[in-house]
Amino acid sequence: MKRGFCLLFLNILLLNIAIGQVEEQPLDSISEKLIIIEGDSIVQSSIALEEAYVFGRLKFSSYDEKLRYYILRRKTQKVYPYAKLAAERLVELNDSLKYIKRKGKRKKYTKKVQKYIEEEFSEELKKLTRTEGQILVKLIYRQTGTTAFDLVKELRSGWRAFWYNTTAKLFKISIKEEFHPDKIEEDYLIEDILQRAFAAGKLERQESVLDYNYADLFNKWKNPNKARN
């Protein structure tokens, strides 16, 4: 089962500004101050900061619900780095392919990238369980905006994509799975886990390419009845 998913994924795995010393300089007699950031020649009147979330304390209606969340958290934090890597490799691959016009050379380069990824990460991917594999498929969609099925279809062929999807179904894994935290509760929980991990420095932040706002999701799902509508 694990090896089957490994073969599936191996074919698709392709403003915190570093502020040094900050000093304030008077602008004029009105005492307006400018900020000079070390290493930056641009004088600014303010520093743009990233949006930050204030997380509420986790509350659970039952022990089973609590257990479910913590198991999901462990699995999500385990597979997120692979989804992040998939997005990075896809960007690198597409950027490189822009400059390769001949079809034969494009195909040769794509296979070279795939071989590199397989050799580097195959052993780790073999250790994934079925549920971890399904979460990974969802996170690939979160990071790329494309399903694992379509990535395989684009980089290899439609037949291979169909075959991998059929094989994955034997293990109850759908590589056509998308990520919709605004509609699916488990997807929202995955997003909540990621945002908390980003804020705590446990995972390296990589923004989703999907169009949703975590604060809006939180407000929606904190009211279960509203979230189901």
Side-chain angles (χ1 to χ4, degrees):
M1 176 179 68
K2 297 177 183 177
R3 182 177 297 275
F5 179 75
C6 172
L7 294 175
L8 151 70
F9 180 70
L10 290 178
N11 285 276
I12 59 173
L13 184 62
L14 280 165
L15 167 83
N16 289 330
I17 304 174
I19 300 178
Q21 297 178 351
V22 178
E23 57 178 313
E24 295 181 342
Q25 301 290 341
L27 176 64
D28 52 29
S29 59
I30 306 179
S31 298
E32 181 177 351
K33 295 182 178 181
L34 294 178
I35 299 173
I36 302 176
I37 301 176
E38 185 178 20
D40 192 346
S41 60
I42 301 177
V43 180
Q44 307 177 51
S45 59
S46 63
I47 299 177
L49 299 177
E50 289 186 341
E51 185 176 24
Y53 300 115
V54 178
F55 299 96
R57 186 175 180 179
L58 292 171
K59 296 180 180 179
F60 305 98
S61 60
S62 66
Y63 174 79
D64 288 343
E65 183 179 304
K66 180 179 180 179
L67 183 62
R68 172 195 172 203
Y69 181 88
Y70 283 108
I71 291 176
L72 185 63
R73 185 176 70 176
R74 176 174 57 80
K75 293 178 181 296
T76 298
Q77 292 181 356
K78 177 180 178 180
V79 302
Y80 168 79
Y82 298 115
K84 180 176 179 294
L85 176 65
E88 292 170 349
R89 290 291 185 267
L90 182 64
V91 170
E92 293 172 3
L93 178 63
N94 287 336
D95 286 345
S96 298
L97 289 178
K98 290 178 182 178
Y99 302 99
I100 303 176
K101 302 303 180 181
R102 294 180 59 181
K103 184 176 180 181
K105 288 187 176 181
R106 289 168 64 92
K107 185 176 181 180
K108 184 177 180 180
Y109 179 77
T110 299
K111 287 185 176 181
K112 182 178 179 180
V113 173
Q114 290 173 342
K115 182 179 180 180
Y116 164 74
I117 295 173
E118 290 175 6
E119 292 176 348
E120 186 174 7
F121 300 102
S122 61
E123 291 305 314
E124 289 301 316
L125 292 173
K126 289 177 183 178
K127 300 175 184 178
L128 297 183
T129 65
R130 179 186 62 80
T131 53
E132 289 167 350
Q134 192 64 79
I135 293 171
L136 177 56
V137 169
K138 288 188 174 188
L139 290 182
I140 288 174
Y141 187 85
R142 178 190 187 272
Q143 301 310 121
T144 66
T146 306
T147 65
F149 178 88
D150 288 334
L151 286 176
V152 175
K153 183 177 180 180
E154 178 182 353
L155 298 178
R156 300 299 292 262
S157 71
W159 168 248
R160 286 184 180 271
F162 170 79
W163 178 254
Y164 289 140
N165 187 61
T166 302
T167 304
K169 283 182 179 179
L170 297 177
F171 307 108
K172 298 182 180 179
I173 295 175
S174 171
I175 63 173
K176 293 183 179 181
E177 194 79 16
E178 298 181 358
F179 184 72
H180 296 289
D182 56 328
K183 300 177 182 178
I184 303 173
E185 183 182 17
E186 182 177 275
D187 290 1
Y188 162 70
L189 293 177
I190 291 174
E191 184 65 29
D192 179 75
I193 289 166
L194 290 178
Q195 293 298 333
R196 291 174 185 269
F198 294 154
K202 295 180 179 180
L203 293 176
E204 184 178 353
R205 182 184 295 275
Q206 184 185 67
E207 298 297 341
S208 171
V209 300
L210 306 179
D211 185 20
Y212 60 79
N213 180 275
Y214 173 72
D216 294 337
L217 295 177
F218 176 80
N219 291 330
K220 177 178 181 178
W221 285 100
K222 72 179 181 180
N223 184 339
N225 293 329
K226 181 179 179 181
R228 293 190 180 95
N229 293 331

